[in-house]
């Protein structure tokens, strides 16, 4: 699903959201409208189960694993999939078939017995919680549509309850933004940190108001990419990743990074980094300013690349950055409509 991005994005190649793309899109051969049926099957899976059929990879290192998952198909052994009618399961499986030749067409899907029979009305009514005969007859229910949206977007994997979110924030070694006692902004910032903490994409938040712009919170995706845990890097500058390869940075790049981490500009470029275990990788880094309750922060979105020479036209870093910024704004609008959130639209790629 590209939501119109494919009409405007520069460059060549496949464009879309990884968790919705059919297996043949990743190949070199041409493909047809069968890929749209596959994407519609992912949407149908979400409607009936409340979760995506496939978790998109966090970066290019896991792309092969994602392709294997597409060929295996969605997990049909977990609730609530098992409680969907047999005809409903059949349609989802047919639309998500890994082979384009064996996958149903749009016309065949529309004529499927699940869509023209009574089971579709029963399944959809149950997944929406419409007049359930009992709790056991309800496929799934979300008490927090915003966090469900983030989970479906592939940037959140935490709990949907406020209590669980608060416990996550309290248990982490977070460098909190200083606020006056009793200021509701303190709780807002902590909840924001909790949101970022559970993102599957590599994300880092730093505080330019403090000396040396220390890291406030990193996502789980950041930990998996770099090997550094929250407790390893909180309170330190992100240059920790570059220290073993500091000599490889030009003066121009160092100056641009310093300007961006102060919140004065944006930065996009590949930076030589090293993981905690000492292994080297090239980190395509997007840094931009954002504001929470009048406090300026800096957000960095990372993505591993194979070379520091990167063609940025149509690169997936734009989609990843847009996804992170859009998810944050969506969550903020849903939970704190009057909280004073601000983020530069140009920085998020919109």
């Amino acid at each position: 699903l590209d939501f119109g991005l494919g009409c405007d994005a520069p460059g060549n190649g496949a464009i879309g959201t990884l968790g919705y793309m059919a297996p043949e899109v990743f190949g070199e051969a041409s493909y047809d409208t069968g890929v749209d049926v596959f994407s519609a099957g992912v949407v149908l899976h979400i409607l009936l189960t409340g979760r995506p059929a496939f978790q998109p990879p966090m970066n290019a290192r896991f792309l092969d694993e994602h392709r294997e998952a597409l060929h295996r198909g969605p997990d049909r052994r977990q609730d609530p999939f098992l409680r969907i009618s047999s005809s409903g399961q059949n349609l989802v499986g047919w639309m998500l078939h890994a082979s384009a030749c064996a996958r149903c067409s749009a016309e065949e899907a529309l004529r499927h017995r699940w869509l023209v029979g009574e089971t579709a009305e029963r399944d959809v009514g149950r997944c929406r919680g419409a007049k359930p005969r009992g709790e056991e007859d309800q496929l799934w229910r979300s008490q927090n549509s915003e966090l469900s949206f983030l989970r479906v977007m592939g940037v959140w994997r935490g709990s949907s309850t406020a209590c669980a979110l608060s416990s996550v924030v309290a248990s982490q070694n977070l460098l909190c933004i200083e606020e006056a006692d009793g200021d509701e902004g303190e709780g807002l910032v902590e909840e924001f940190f909790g949101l970022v903490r559970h993102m599957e994409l590599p994300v880092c938040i730093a505080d330019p108001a403090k000396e040396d712009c220390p890291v406030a919170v990193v996502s789980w995706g950041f930990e998996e990419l770099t090997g550094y845990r929250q407790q390893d890097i909180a309170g330190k500058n992100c240059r920790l990743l570059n220290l073993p390869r500091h000599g490889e940075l030009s003066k121009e790049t160092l100056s641009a990074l310093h300007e961006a981490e102060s919140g004065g500009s944006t930065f996009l470029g590949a930076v030589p980094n090293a993981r905690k275990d000492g292994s080297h990788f090239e980190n395509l880094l997007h840094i931009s300013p954002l504001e929470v309750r009048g406090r300026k922060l800096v957000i960095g979105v990372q993505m591993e690349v194979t070379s520091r020479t990167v063609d940025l036209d149509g690169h997936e870093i734009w989609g990843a950055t847009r996804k992170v910024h859009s998810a944050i704004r969506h969550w903020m609008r849903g939970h704190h409509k009057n909280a004073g959130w601000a983020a530069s639209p140009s920085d998020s790629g919109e």
Side-chain angles (χ1 to χ4, degrees), residues 37 91 106 127 148 208 212 270 315 348:
V37 174
L91 177 58
C127 80
S148 295
D212 201 30
H315 197 279
S348 61

Side-chain angles (χ1 to χ4, degrees), residues 172-174 197 216-218 223 228-234:
Q172 301 302 328
N173 179 22
L174 299 181
R197 186 80 183 100
V217 63
V218 297
E223 292 184 342
Y228 285 98
R229 302 304 176 191
Q230 170 74 22
Q231 59 268 25
D232 298 328
I233 201 166

Side-chain angles (χ1 to χ4, degrees), residues 5 7 14 16 25 28 35 42 49 56 63 75 132 146 149 198 207 243 253 271 273 301 317 328 349:
L5 175 65
C7 299
V25 177
E28 296 181 359
V35 300
V42 174
T49 68
L63 191 55
D75 187 354
E146 287 76 21
F149 167 81
H198 283 73
D207 184 3
L243 287 180
T253 301
V271 179
N273 279 177
V301 180
I317 186 65
I328 291 173

Side-chain angles (χ1 to χ4, degrees), residues 44 48 67 72 102 108 133 147 207 232 263 282 310 331 349:
L44 179 58
L48 291 176
R67 290 173 179 169
R72 287 195 303 269
E108 289 173 323
R133 289 191 296 270
L147 293 187
D207 184 3
D232 298 328
E282 309 305 320
V310 181
W331 187 84

Side-chain angles (χ1 to χ4, degrees), residues 143-144 147 151 156 158-168 335:
Q143 295 180 343
N144 191 319
L147 293 187
R151 185 179 293 107
W156 170 271
S159 169
S160 296
T161 66
C163 293
L165 179 60
S166 299
S167 67
V168 166
H335 289 266

